[in-house]
Amino acid sequence: MSTQKTAIVTGAARGIGAAVAKRLADDGLAVAVLDLDADACADTVKAITDKGGKALAVGANVADEASVQAAVEKVANELGAPTVVVNNAGITRDNLLFKMTVDDWDAVMAVHLRGAFNVTKAAQKYMVDAGWGRVVNLSSTSALGNRGQVNYSAAKAGMQGFTKTLAIELGKFGVTANAIAPGFIETEMTAATAERIGVPFEDFKKASAAQIPVNRVGVPEDIAHTASFFISEGAGFVSGQVVYVAGGPKD
Ligand code: NAP
């Protein structure tokens, strides 16, 4: 019987999720590369299989319970029982409070919070059966408050409470849950923010880097490295934690 562990990384077609998926494959895990559109996962899957790793593209909407249940079952059947989950899928619908619509609020809550709930709930039985598991949730420095992101900051603060409660409930089954709260990471998400406020991305990055103690913006691999630690065997006594990966202190 294979001892290879199986991970599900959501929103893994690009950006942080793609980097996490590739890193976990380098760490020896079989990886389900899950995103809204299975075809969009092809590049991430190819990058993994080209290096001799094992990966499966899975199309699912994390906000939809039935879609997630079907996806998690597919992973269990075709790749192996998923005992590692990285809840990374995310969207922004930024606006100042007085201009934000209920749809903007609900869309962000549905992907980040309901999405993480759906995926973790569907996968937890495999972790409990195995007596081992790792959940890593993507929060953000925006959890501490960020102008124009009342929906997103509430969702990302919610991810921290979700993480701590998972740690308390699932610890006795050998499952840890931790959160990563990235600062500015160079991806399509931050490129879209620059475009929305009408600043060229290079200028936006330069201005952000000037505010960051290590004097650079982050890259997806910075987050992948932290995820790799949290899912490692040796991190079994680290649970319910939030690590800010932001090039400097945040609190
Ligand atoms: P990204 O480049 O926009 O990638 C997000 C991915 O999630 C996309 O492939 C997107 O698919 C997918 N996705 C969106 N809604 C989904 C759904 N309902 N079901 C399944 N997949 C879905 O974002 P990123 O910058 O890599 O961010 C990844 C995570 O890190 C997010 O949770 C984000 O909030 C968090 N984060 C990012 C930063 C940053 O600076 N970039 C900072 C802090 C936290 P589509 O392309 O089809 O929409």
Side-chain angles (χ1 to χ4, degrees):
M1 209 180 88
S2 165
T3 55
Q4 186 177 35
K5 292 190 161 76
T6 298
I8 297 175
V9 183
T10 71
R14 63 168 200 242
I16 292 170
V20 170
K22 289 184 236 177
R23 176 60 188 262
L24 299 197
D26 286 346
D27 290 345
L29 285 85
V31 182
V33 177
L34 185 150
D35 212 290
L36 275 171
D37 173 14
D39 291 343
C41 300
D43 287 351
T44 310
V45 168
K46 185 171 184 309
I48 292 171
T49 52
D50 280 355
K51 286 174 84 177
K54 205 167 153 195
L56 177 72
V58 183
N61 176 1
V62 296
D64 182 272
E65 187 181 23
S67 169
V68 168
Q69 278 171 353
V72 171
E73 237 168 81
K74 180 182 166 77
V75 173
N77 291 334
E78 295 181 26
L79 211 54
T83 53
V84 174
V85 164
V86 181
N87 287 305
N88 166 82
I91 59 168
T92 54
R93 292 287 185 273
D94 297 351
N95 225 326
L96 293 175
L97 174 65
F98 79 104
K99 286 191 280 189
M100 188 174 285
T101 65
V102 170
D103 282 351
D104 290 337
W105 175 270
D106 286 347
V108 166
M109 294 302 155
V111 177
H112 296 271
L113 285 176
R114 194 190 323 144
F117 166 76
N118 282 340
V119 178
T120 309
K121 188 174 175 195
Q124 59 81 31
K125 62 173 180 287
Y126 298 102
M127 303 186 198
V128 170
D129 283 352
W132 188 94
R134 298 282 186 264
V135 180
V136 179
N137 296 317
L138 267 291
S139 178
S140 167
T141 51
S142 294
L144 303 169
N146 197 26
R147 185 178 168 81
Q149 290 198 313
V150 76
N151 50 359
Y152 184 81
S153 60
K156 290 310 201 184
M159 289 297 265
Q160 298 190 9
F162 176 66
T163 301
K164 288 169 196 281
T165 300
L166 290 178
I168 292 165
E169 289 191 13
L170 299 177
K172 66 177 171 209
F173 303 107
V175 179
T176 67
N178 292 284
I180 302 172
F184 188 117
I185 308 295
E186 188 176 344
T187 68
E188 285 186 36
M189 184 178 274
T190 38
T193 305
E195 196 174 333
R196 187 177 54 79
I197 60 175
V199 178
F201 194 35
E202 284 311 309
D203 296 351
F204 191 52
K205 282 191 291 180
K206 211 179 273 178
S208 301
Q211 305 295 318
I212 297 171
V214 301
N215 205 29
R216 69 168 176 89
V217 299
V219 290
E221 289 71 25
D222 291 315
I223 306 309
H225 193 75
T226 312
S228 173
F229 165 72
F230 277 142
I231 68 105
S232 68
E233 208 53 61
F237 205 54
V238 182
S239 197
Q241 300 304 303
V242 180
V243 170
Y244 284 85
V245 182
K250 296 279 169 187
D251 54 30

